[in-house]
Amino acid sequence: MRALETILVAKGLVDPAALDAIIDTYETKIGPRNGARVVAKAWADPAYTARLKADATAAIAELGFTGRQGEHMVAVFNDAGTHHLVVCTLCSCYPWAVLGLPPVWYKSAPYRSRAVLDPRGVLAEFGLVLDPAVQLRVWDSTAEMRYLVIPARPSGTDGWGEEALADLVTRDAMIGTGVALMPGSRNAGAAAP
Ligand code: FE
């Protein structure tokens, strides 16, 4: 993507600011909306949650999300006692079909190493301070296995429809560097920065 961008900009074919806006849209809005719909359905439908636990690739494909880097999916579920965090220590394996393009930090050497060495420190830098009693599990993605974090459902959302629930699910919540938004929070309804 960046190599293509360099060529297009050098040829004067695109405005770099416009291209950045497009990339940002795919990183933070369009791509992660797919994953947000998976999470919302898991929150709303226990039968779907069961299928997601049994075979995440198939359950995600039910919603039409398939394709490159969308195979071999595993869903990991946060709850009151466990928080999951996803990294690719080797390169940048990422579930494109449900999360879109990986953010730049996900591909960075510091994230890839520190997510393993000091995961609680990394989470704190994202503004997420875990209770010491919460077990933190770090999952290393590979070409054979890609993880989608199903964040805990926020309280105060009883009876909500899937559309409204999906608005609470940020990209970072599905990587594990964040949690789902609370109802009425300032960012609810918009993708996280
Ligand atoms: Fe990788």
Side-chain angles (χ1 to χ4, degrees), residues 69 87-94 106 112 140-143 146:
Q69 304 217 14
V87 63
C88 175
T89 57
L90 277 180
C91 44
S92 57
C93 298
Y94 192 71
Y106 184 86
R112 284 159 41 205
D140 194 356
S141 302
T142 66
R146 292 158 205 277

Side-chain angles (χ1 to χ4, degrees), residues 1-16 19-20 23:
M1 180 65 84
R2 291 289 166 186
L4 177 63
E5 177 178 355
T6 302
I7 292 165
L8 293 173
V9 170
K11 288 182 176 294
L13 293 174
V14 298
D15 167 7
L19 196 55
D20 280 349
I23 291 170

